[in-house]
């Protein structure tokens, strides 16, 4: 596939295409499409969050972390990004760094299972 395929169409076309690849578990391809979309509309949360998820599922954890932190800069109350950041940090073996994010995500969702003692 050449690069023009990833850049072809409107932002909405590329968003739909990225979601199709993500749903098909083609995370690397989805990330490639979403990367360009995020550059084009960096203030939008949905493409960044899906990009972070694509990175997470393709084990590119430092890239996932970067995108999740960018989402949280734009919207500190984005519960799912907070949860994903915690899980991403855990997956990197950074449990101590993950704990506050997981606690905050639990508090934001009302989930008392992860409540600090």
């Amino acid at each position: 596939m050449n690069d023009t395929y990833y850049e072809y169409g409107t932002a909405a076309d590329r968003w739909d295409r990225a979601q199709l690849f993500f749903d098909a578990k083609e995370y690397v391809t989805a990330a490639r499409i979403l990367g360009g979309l995020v550059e084009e509309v960096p203030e939008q949360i949905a493409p960044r969050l899906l990009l972070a998820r694509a990175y997470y599922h393709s084990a590119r954890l430092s890239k996932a972390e970067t995108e999740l932190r960018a989402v949280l800069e734009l919207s500190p109350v984005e519960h799912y990004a907070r949860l994903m950041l915690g899980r991403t940090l855990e997956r990197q073996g950074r449990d101590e760094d993950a704990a506050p994010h997981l606690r905050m995500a639990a508090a934001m969702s009302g989930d008392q299972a992860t409540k600090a003692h």
Side-chain angles (χ1 to χ4, degrees):
M1 242 180 271
N2 62 30
D3 288 340
T4 57
Y5 176 76
Y6 300 104
E7 300 164 1
Y8 178 76
T10 66
D13 292 336
R14 287 176 282 138
W15 170 249
D16 290 342
R17 190 177 310 119
Q19 287 182 307
L20 288 172
F21 278 106
F22 185 90
D23 291 344
K25 298 183 180 177
E26 294 288 337
Y27 303 118
V28 173
T29 303
R32 191 166 180 186
I33 296 166
L34 289 162
L37 198 53
V38 165
E39 283 180 25
E40 190 176 316
V41 287
E43 72 286 353
Q44 289 190 6
I45 291 176
R48 278 193 185 277
L49 197 51
L50 190 58
L51 178 57
R53 291 176 64 203
Y55 284 147
Y56 179 87
H57 287 298
S58 60
R60 294 186 284 175
L61 301 176
S62 65
K63 287 185 174 202
E65 179 183 351
T66 298
E67 289 305 322
L68 291 165
R69 291 188 186 279
V71 167
L72 291 170
E73 268 188 46
L74 293 168
S75 179
V77 296
E78 180 60 51
H79 160 262
Y80 189 67
R82 186 76 59 189
L83 175 64
M84 270 197 69
L85 179 57
R87 297 289 181 230
T88 299
L89 294 168
E90 276 184 332
R91 198 166 163 196
Q92 293 177 58
R94 297 165 54 194
D95 293 350
E96 196 171 306
D97 293 336
H101 296 288
L102 295 173
R103 280 194 303 273
M104 191 175 299
M108 293 167 107
S109 72
D111 180 9
Q112 298 302 312
T114 345
K115 188 167 68 172
H117 299 286

